[in-house]
Amino acid sequence: MKLRIILLFIFFITLKQLVQAQQIHSVSGKVFGESGEPLLAHIHIHELGKGTFADLDGYFSIQNLRSGTYHFHFTHLGYKAQTLTVRLNDGDVSLHIVMPESSLTLQALTVEANPFKNGPIEQSQTIDVIDRDFIERNNTGTFANALEKLPGISTINTGVGISKPVIRGMSFNRIMINDRGIKQEGQQWGADHGLEIDPFDVDRVEIIKGPASLVYGSDGMAGVINIAPGATPDPGTLQGHLISTYRSNNHMIGNTAMMEGNEKDVVFKARFTAQDYQNYRVPASQFTYAGFVLPIHEERLKNTAGRERHFSVSAGIRRDWGKSTLTISRFNQQAGIFTGAVGIPTAYSLRHDGDHGIVDYPKQNNTHLKIISNTTIQHKKNWLEIDLGYQANHRKEESLPHAHGVGPTPDGNLALGLFLDTFTGNVRYNRQLNGNHQTIVGFQAQHMQNRHTGFEFLLPDFTSTQGGAYYFHEYRWKKDLIINAGIRADAATHQIQEHLQPIYERLRPTGEYEQRNPDIDRTFFNLSGSSGLSWKFWEHHNLKLNVGSSFRMPTPIELSTNGIHHGNFRHEVGNAGLHPERNYQADLNYSYSKKNFLLGISPFWGYYDGYIYLSPTGRFSTIPGASTVWEYRQNNAVFTGGEVKTEWVIGSGLSLTLAAEYVYNFNLDTRLPLPLTPPFSVLTGLHYALPVSTKAFSNLYTYAEYRHAADQSRTDRNERFTEGYDLLEAGLGWELRLRNQPLKFQISGQNLTNTFYFNHLSRYRLLNLPEQGRNISLSLKIPIQLK
């Protein structure tokens, strides 16, 4: 205890020395449009998490800034966002900012996922940014499903309430989800394990497509989804909102309340969310499984109801030396698992029980607790960023006791309990060498401990410790040509405990055991690196190229699993001899952007040495009720494909969007495609903001979107072909003002034609169950401004 007190004392003395005795400066200036009109732009300093608005003359001023380097973000609706690096050395700085007009909505958003915190021109990777308005407009109950409107992003679904993202045909441990700088750890290897993210508690998302292992670590091989907090409210404000939603397909009722404030740069935010939903509807009254035709009562899948309760609270300070925030959140979801998922579905087990809202057995109860600390400290011209996190993920799969014929009926209803504790620490030091050079040195460490319980076995107890260090350098060769390069070293160890399953004869123990998995002790070390460039070769043309090599170490589940995974309707078997994946990938991005038109083309190519995947064997398991066996295998493979996106503002308020994506992969050893590859898909949308505005009625818009998904005939051995489908979605929204209180309404409809179709990535497709039918969504948002 005395040692901790001494270390804390030394830390705070050092911190005080770092931030004191520095010169104080101010940054002021004016913000104009291209035609010379002053703009009421928002000016935000990334490192300090604070900012201000320009006045009617476009003038702004920010005082009390220490000597150093800052990244200023300028945003204004209807104009292209601008980012400027400002270096304060000997005196005050005056700026003259010109913002080009842009009718493209997302161009008003800045990108902060770039580790150097500079503008979109400097980035060499493909990054999409969406904000709260986009998420609220496309919220269908889960966070992952809101991302499907972006090219290159699809989802793996288990019913309606459980989904997880897929980037360029890859998911699970190849995609890193970062919440406030901390990697989300929640048994993400399971297709039936959704993201423990409250969809209402997301203000800003930045999606990096392609390998991002250099900065983010091993699991960033396919991409990274960064969830960032919203802008800090201005000092002296207290505000919030209430949102209520309803979805007709499963009678989902969702409510969330948020309140945030800023008192002399002491900030806080709190949110509570509740969602309840019933069994969801499908456009079918029966389905066929194993040659049997089984009923779907009232076209609603039995036991797919659920209940969610989430909360988060954060508090922090903003000072001239930086900022520090502490966030505590808890996600809880109780969701039914379709009755046919455990054992073999029968007409008897599918009988209606009289209530579509009951969450009966089998079911899953997931709780995810996160405590995250984010601190940014200024040191001379440089910045030190520290992210610390603790996560406790408790996953309980419950079902009625069943012996599967191998032993006596167990006690209790806990079939499988997985309890994962994770400690994470990230440290980054951003150093400004001069106007053309800047570097980042980073360190990451993570320790995980997993325990299992219940009368079934899938994943053994294990501990995993991993760490990495990297160096990243950016050089502005010319004004419009920026190059970067970096190298990274990683090491990890997995210590997995042996699991012995008792053997019974006539329901009595024989004293013998079946070894499901042995003791496994694996250590990994590897180097990776990447390099990229961004070149604005003409006024409206930008070319980006990123090449590199990254690696991913096998996870404990891939090394040691050996049991029934009911959520996936199969017996899964690991491979203790797997070695790390190594990939070599090139990503190219070309964009052409003008005031009313945007075109982006993003091809990619990658070679994977030892690609790890779960493959159907075609064999039936020897464990009763386990269906077929899927094994983790490792082969060399090629991934290629690309995305195309375009937005064209045809006239005042009328815009046309198109997003297309295609993934082609090939197993170089089996000469077959890899399983669970998303099909070619095109999403076309027409959006119209109506020129109607009164004191009581404004911001009226309507849209229609059409998605075409092609047949997926490129399948692995023992994997079924999936027919293509066409979906229609439409909606409208408006703002109504009652006295001084604004009310924001939205109505939308998904699968309006009630199309019967299969999603190639859906887990329920294995049971010949189609996706949900027609759904009408209603939403009401009430902003609250107390001061």
Side-chain angles (χ1 to χ4, degrees):
M1 182 62 69
K2 290 182 178 180
L3 179 60
R4 293 182 180 179
I5 295 174
I6 293 173
L7 290 175
L8 285 173
F9 177 77
I10 294 174
F11 172 77
F12 284 112
I13 291 297
T14 303
L15 176 60
K16 182 178 179 181
Q17 292 176 345
L18 288 175
V19 303
Q20 69 182 2
Q22 295 190 38
Q23 293 182 345
I24 302 300
H25 308 283
S26 67
V27 174
S28 60
K30 289 189 176 182
V31 185
F32 299 95
E34 288 180 302
S35 301
E37 70 279 13
L39 299 179
L40 295 167
H42 181 251
I43 299 94
H44 178 79
I45 303 177
H46 172 83
E47 288 79 6
L48 300 179
K50 68 178 183 179
T52 187
F53 282 91
D55 61 18
L56 293 173
D57 297 321
Y59 177 79
F60 71 92
S61 178
I62 302 178
Q63 308 292 324
N64 300 322
L65 296 177
R66 296 178 179 271
S67 298
T69 303
Y70 302 86
H71 293 98
F72 279 63
H73 298 314
F74 300 84
T75 56
H76 190 277
L77 186 62
Y79 293 82
K80 190 173 182 178
Q82 301 293 301
T83 299
L84 183 66
T85 301
V86 177
R87 294 173 177 85
L88 298 178
N89 297 316
D90 301 324
D92 299 339
V93 172
S94 180
L95 303 175
H96 183 88
I97 305 299
V98 178
M99 299 184 67
E101 287 189 63
S102 176
S103 300
L104 310 176
T105 304
L106 294 182
Q107 287 207 352
L109 302 177
T110 57
V111 178
E112 298 180 1
N114 182 2
F116 293 110
K117 314 305 179 190
N118 41 26
I121 296 300
E122 287 82 359
Q123 303 151 23
S124 63
Q125 288 189 290
T126 303
I127 303 178
D128 288 329
V129 186
I130 58 176
D131 61 0
R132 167 162 287 282
D133 289 340
F134 180 96
I135 296 169
E136 289 179 356
R137 185 176 298 186
N138 297 285
N139 184 3
T140 57
T142 68
F143 166 66
N145 285 124
L147 305 179
E148 282 191 295
K149 298 295 181 70
L150 301 175
I153 311 294
S154 50
T155 59
I156 293 176
N157 299 314
T158 303
V160 173
I162 301 173
S163 65
K164 62 198 319 168
V166 178
I167 298 179
R168 294 177 171 177
M170 288 180 277
S171 186
F172 310 115
N173 288 81
R174 291 185 182 86
I175 293 179
M176 184 178 293
I177 311 295
N178 272 347
D179 185 7
R180 293 172 173 87
I182 295 297
K183 175 187 172 187
Q184 178 96 355
E185 288 287 0
Q187 311 289 0
Q188 59 265 35
W189 46 265
D192 60 324
H193 306 168
L195 294 180
E196 295 89 356
I197 300 290
D198 178 1
F200 293 102
D201 196 28
V202 177
D203 292 294
R204 176 188 180 87
V205 183
E206 302 181 356
I207 300 98
I208 305 173
K209 300 174 186 175
S213 300
L214 174 64
V215 174
Y216 295 98
S218 170
D219 284 1
M221 179 171 279
V224 175
I225 297 176
N226 279 315
I227 302 172
T232 301
D234 295 330
T237 59
L238 181 62
Q239 61 191 23
H241 63 238
L242 300 172
I243 300 177
S244 294
T245 61
Y246 172 76
R247 295 179 177 85
S248 64
N249 181 275
N250 59 348
H251 295 296
M252 173 185 281
I253 297 176
N255 294 283
T256 186
M258 185 276 289
M259 187 61 64
E260 62 180 355
N262 184 334
E263 185 64 33
K264 297 180 181 179
D265 274 340
V266 176
V267 298
F268 73 91
K269 182 177 182 180
R271 178 182 296 277
F272 176 76
T273 298
Q275 290 193 132
D276 296 270
Y277 47 93
Q278 298 182 3
N279 299 335
Y280 72 91
R281 291 183 174 89
V282 295
S285 59
Q286 61 186 27
F287 72 105
T288 303
Y289 180 75
F292 295 94
V293 178
L294 301 171
I296 304 177
H297 183 74
E298 296 181 356
E299 298 187 345
R300 303 181 78 164
L301 291 186
K302 183 178 179 180
N303 200 39
T304 56
R307 173 182 180 274
E308 299 181 15
R309 300 292 185 268
H310 321 307
F311 81 83
S312 67
V313 59
S314 63
I317 57 173
R318 304 289 188 268
R319 293 292 185 262
D320 55 2
W321 50 263
K323 59 184 178 179
S324 184
T325 305
L326 180 67
T327 303
I328 302 174
S329 64
R330 183 179 183 270
F331 176 100
N332 177 256
Q333 179 191 55
Q334 186 180 83
I337 300 175
F338 177 60
T339 303
V342 177
I344 298 176
T346 64
Y348 176 81
S349 65
L350 296 174
R351 289 190 309 172
H352 181 47
D353 53 16
D355 189 342
H356 290 295
I358 294 178
V359 181
D360 203 352
Y361 301 107
K363 62 183 178 182
Q364 51 181 304
N365 193 333
N366 304 320
T367 300
H368 194 93
L369 173 69
K370 283 185 290 194
I371 303 175
I372 298 175
S373 169
N374 305 110
T375 301
T376 301
I377 301 172
Q378 185 186 38
H379 178 217
K380 298 180 180 179
K381 299 179 181 180
N382 312 312
W383 291 92
L384 177 67
E385 297 178 308
I386 304 172
D387 300 323
L388 304 174
Y390 166 72
Q391 301 173 74
N393 183 272
H394 291 176
R395 177 176 182 83
K396 299 178 181 178
E397 296 185 6
E398 302 173 82
S399 65
L400 295 175
H402 50 279
H404 282 316
V406 297
T409 301
D411 296 325
N413 296 314
L414 182 59
L416 181 64
L418 297 174
F419 306 106
L420 178 65
D421 293 294
T422 306
F423 298 87
T424 307
N426 303 322
V427 177
R428 296 174 299 279
Y429 188 66
N430 191 319
R431 186 183 180 193
Q432 301 286 326
L433 300 179
N434 54 47
N436 295 325
H437 292 267
Q438 58 178 326
T439 64
I440 294 177
V441 177
F443 303 91
Q444 297 173 327
Q446 179 175 279
H447 178 75
M448 293 189 296
Q449 183 173 5
N450 187 81
R451 296 171 290 112
H452 84 279
T453 186
F455 56 79
E456 292 182 349
F457 172 76
L458 180 63
L459 176 65
D461 294 346
F462 70 84
T463 58
S464 176
T465 303
Q466 51 189 295
Y470 63 91
Y471 174 83
F472 198 22
H473 190 107
E474 181 183 270
Y475 171 50
R476 184 180 289 271
W477 189 6
K478 297 181 180 180
K479 179 182 178 181
D480 295 325
L481 178 58
I482 297 93
I483 60 176
N484 61 62
I487 189 170
R488 180 186 179 98
D490 281 279
T493 178
H494 297 324
Q495 295 178 321
I496 304 171
Q497 296 183 18
E498 178 188 40
H499 179 78
L500 300 176
Q501 192 78 15
I503 298 177
Y504 294 85
E505 184 175 337
R506 296 181 180 179
L507 303 183
R508 293 184 178 182
T510 63
E512 299 179 351
Y513 295 86
E514 175 193 8
Q515 186 187 64
R516 285 289 186 89
N517 71 275
D519 283 327
I520 302 173
D521 192 349
R522 297 289 303 276
T523 299
F524 306 97
F525 175 80
N526 221 315
L527 296 174
S528 58
S530 70
S531 180
L533 65 85
S534 177
W535 180 27
K536 188 176 180 180
F537 54 94
W538 282 320
E539 181 181 1
H540 303 291
H541 302 261
N542 186 207
L543 183 68
K544 302 176 187 293
L545 174 66
N546 203 77
V547 296
S549 175
S550 58
F551 91 106
R552 186 182 74 86
M553 61 196 75
T555 65
I557 187 70
E558 293 167 338
L559 295 170
S560 61
T561 184
N562 189 358
I564 306 172
H565 195 176
H566 286 301
N568 286 339
F569 325 116
R570 62 199 182 199
H571 179 184
E572 297 179 358
V573 179
N575 182 350
L578 296 174
H579 58 82
E581 296 177 348
R582 166 69 68 179
N583 93 315
Y584 304 89
Q585 182 149 333
D587 290 88
L588 186 68
N589 178 271
Y590 164 76
S591 64
Y592 173 77
S593 175
K594 296 189 71 175
K595 175 183 175 181
N596 296 323
F597 184 77
L598 170 68
L599 172 65
I601 304 174
S602 305
F604 65 90
W605 179 90
Y607 169 75
Y608 288 79
D609 183 2
Y611 184 83
I612 301 170
Y613 65 103
L614 194 59
S615 177
T617 65
R619 307 191 310 270
F620 280 91
S621 171
T622 57
I623 301 177
S627 187
T628 59
V629 176
W630 288 53
E631 294 178 342
Y632 280 101
R633 296 177 178 173
Q634 191 161 33
N635 295 113
N636 297 335
V638 170
F639 273 78
T640 188
E643 303 94 42
V644 175
K645 66 177 179 180
T646 183
E647 183 177 355
W648 178 29
V649 179
I650 303 172
S652 178
L654 180 63
S655 63
L656 176 69
T657 61
L658 182 143
E661 59 192 52
Y662 178 67
V663 175
Y664 175 93
N665 56 44
F666 188 68
N667 188 322
L668 296 174
D669 295 323
T670 67
R671 318 302 294 178
L672 293 169
L674 291 165
L676 300 177
T677 301
F680 170 75
S681 174
V682 178
L683 178 66
T684 305
L686 192 64
H687 303 252
Y688 183 44
L690 281 73
V692 177
S693 181
T694 66
K695 290 184 178 180
F697 188 82
S698 62
N699 296 327
L700 176 62
Y701 68 87
T702 183
Y703 72 92
E705 294 180 339
Y706 169 76
R707 179 182 292 276
H708 170 73
D711 297 344
Q712 183 51 287
S713 57
R714 299 194 69 257
T715 56
D716 194 7
R717 185 178 292 112
N718 302 311
E719 184 186 18
R720 293 206 309 261
F721 161 91
T722 302
E723 294 184 356
Y725 55 87
D726 300 279
L727 299 177
L728 179 63
E729 177 178 339
L732 71 154
W734 67 95
E735 185 172 318
L736 185 66
R737 183 172 293 273
L738 297 178
R739 296 183 179 178
N740 293 324
Q741 177 61 57
L743 306 175
K744 297 183 178 181
F745 294 89
Q746 180 178 308
I747 301 175
S748 63
Q750 296 79 39
N751 192 7
L752 288 173
T753 57
N754 206 35
T755 299
F756 178 100
Y757 72 101
F758 294 103
N759 181 345
H760 188 71
L761 303 184
S762 172
R763 310 310 334 122
Y764 284 164
R765 181 181 68 93
L766 301 177
L767 292 178
N768 294 315
L769 291 172
E771 295 301 294
Q772 71 169 328
R774 183 185 297 110
N775 176 63
I776 304 299
S777 299
L778 308 175
S779 174
L780 168 63
K781 181 177 181 180
I782 306 175
I784 300 172
Q785 189 74 45
L786 298 180
K787 65 176 183 178

